[in-house]
Amino acid sequence: MNKALRRPLIAGNWKMNKTPTEAKELIADIVPAVKDADNCDIVICVPFIDLALAVDMTYQTNVKVGAQNVHFAPNGAYTGEISAAMLKELGVEYVIIGHSERRQYFGETDETVNLRVRAALDAGLKVILCVGENKDERLANITNEIVSKQTKLGLADVATEALANVIIAYEPVWAIGTGLTATPEQAEEVCSFIRRVIAEKYGTDTADKVIILYGGSMNAVNARDLLAKEDIDGGLIGGASLKAKDFSVIVSEANA
Ligand code: PGA
C-alpha cells in the first residue's frame, strides 16, 4: 500500500492561544506525553511570540516547531511581519500557510499563499499548505473545483524536488472549530482527489510520497477512523492540540 511510503504527521495548530507562561506549561506536558511516538512526526505550530521558547523546550526531543504564517519578502519595510529566514534561524522547521482563517479574516489569496509557499521553501522550511471548501461550496458541489484550484495555485512554480517539503492539509472550513467533523469517507474522498491533482502535475511517484493531513475538529475520539484512511496521513489539530492529553492520544493513534 502506498500509505506505507508516508510517515504520519500530527501537527497542532494553537492559533492565537497561549501566552509564553501558558505555552511553557503546555509544552512541558506535551513533550513527555508523546516521547515514545517513534513512528510519526509531531509538530506544534505556536504563536510567533512562543516560538523561541518552544524551540528551546523541544530541543533534542521528537517534537518539532512550526509557525502559523510567514511573510514572503526576505526583509524590508513590512511592519509587523516575520520572514522565512527569521523563522529558520530561530530553529523553526515548519510553517502553516493559507489557513482558512487567514484567507477569511486577513485577505489571504491564492497568489499571496503561493508567494509565501515559495519563500518558505526557498528558506528551507517545510510548508503545511491548507486548502478546503466552505459550507456553501460543498452544498453547491464544487468542493473538488475549490481544492484543486487552491492546490494548483498554491503550488504554482514549485519544483518537483521541493515537494518533499510540502504537506497539504485538507481542512473543510465548515468543520473547523465547529465540532462538525467530515466523515472519514468524506475526508478520504477529498484527500485522494488532492493526491490525484498533485499526480497530474508532478507524477504519481511524487504524489504518492506527499503527506496529506485532514483538519477540522479532529479529536481523541474520531482520530483513529480518519487516520485509517488510505490517503489521510495525519492531522492538523486545532482545539484538541491545546490539551496535552487529547493531543497525545491523537499522536498515539497516528503512531500505532
Ligand atoms: P479545529 O481546527 O481542530 O479546532 O477544528 C483545525 C484547524 O483550523 O487547523
Side-chain angles (χ1 to χ4, degrees):
M1 282 222 308
N2 288 332
K3 200 172 168 85
L5 297 173
R6 304 185 290 268
R7 189 171 158 82
L9 184 147
I10 297 296
N13 174 12
W14 288 15
K15 309 193 180 186
M16 196 175 73
N17 292 292
K18 305 295 172 187
T19 66
T21 309
E22 293 165 345
K24 263 183 214 158
E25 283 171 20
L26 181 53
I27 296 167
D29 288 343
I30 288 175
V31 168
V34 301
K35 72 174 184 358
D36 297 326
D38 301 328
N39 303 323
C40 69
D41 288 322
I42 304 163
V43 185
I44 51 172
C45 299
V46 306
F48 284 131
I49 196 170
D50 298 328
L51 285 170
L53 75 92
V55 168
D56 281 351
M57 290 183 74
T58 56
Y59 182 65
Q60 290 189 339
T61 74
N62 58 342
V63 178
K64 316 265 191 250
V65 176
Q68 300 172 12
N69 189 23
V70 64
H71 196 263
F72 39 81
N75 52 53
Y78 300 100
T79 302
E81 294 295 322
I82 302 284
S83 74
M86 291 171 181
L87 296 176
K88 184 72 187 169
E89 188 183 309
L90 202 61
V92 171
E93 288 184 50
Y94 290 78
V95 59
I96 297 173
I97 297 179
H99 190 279
S100 65
E101 286 151 15
R102 298 225 52 96
R103 295 178 191 256
Q104 205 178 336
Y105 307 133
F106 302 101
E108 191 81 74
T109 65
D110 287 322
E111 289 67 36
T112 57
V113 165
N114 176 246
L115 290 172
R116 291 179 213 278
V117 166
R118 284 157 47 201
L121 291 171
D122 286 350
L125 295 167
K126 293 190 172 73
V127 165
I128 302 176
L129 168 61
C130 300
V131 301
E133 82 288 3
N134 65 29
K135 192 171 165 207
D136 290 345
E137 291 160 345
R138 174 157 284 262
L139 292 175
N141 270 323
I142 54 169
T143 296
N144 285 1
E145 215 172 306
I146 298 294
V147 298
S148 156
K149 180 167 159 281
Q150 289 174 337
T151 305
K152 284 184 189 155
L153 295 179
L155 295 178
D157 296 320
V158 172
T160 307
E161 307 77 71
L163 261 269
N165 289 323
V166 172
I167 294 128
I168 308 285
Y170 167 55
E171 299 208 303
V173 180
W174 49 271
I176 294 178
T178 56
L180 283 176
T181 318
T183 64
E185 292 68 31
Q186 283 172 323
E188 167 63 16
E189 198 183 342
V190 183
C191 290
S192 77
F193 172 74
I194 292 169
R195 201 176 300 287
R196 289 202 297 279
V197 170
I198 296 171
E200 268 171 36
K201 180 169 174 190
Y202 294 101
T204 316
D205 286 355
T206 300
D208 280 346
K209 292 188 201 121
V210 172
I211 307 292
I212 302 182
L213 312 178
Y214 167 77
S217 301
M218 191 189 268
N219 59 36
V221 175
N222 61 28
R224 180 177 300 188
D225 290 345
L226 287 158
L227 295 171
K229 290 293 180 189
E230 170 70 17
D231 289 288
I232 302 179
D233 306 313
L236 182 56
I237 324 291
S241 75
L242 297 172
K243 294 187 198 112
K245 179 83 184 78
D246 292 19
F247 188 64
S248 68
V249 170
I250 299 170
V251 167
S252 59
E253 295 293 356
N255 192 60

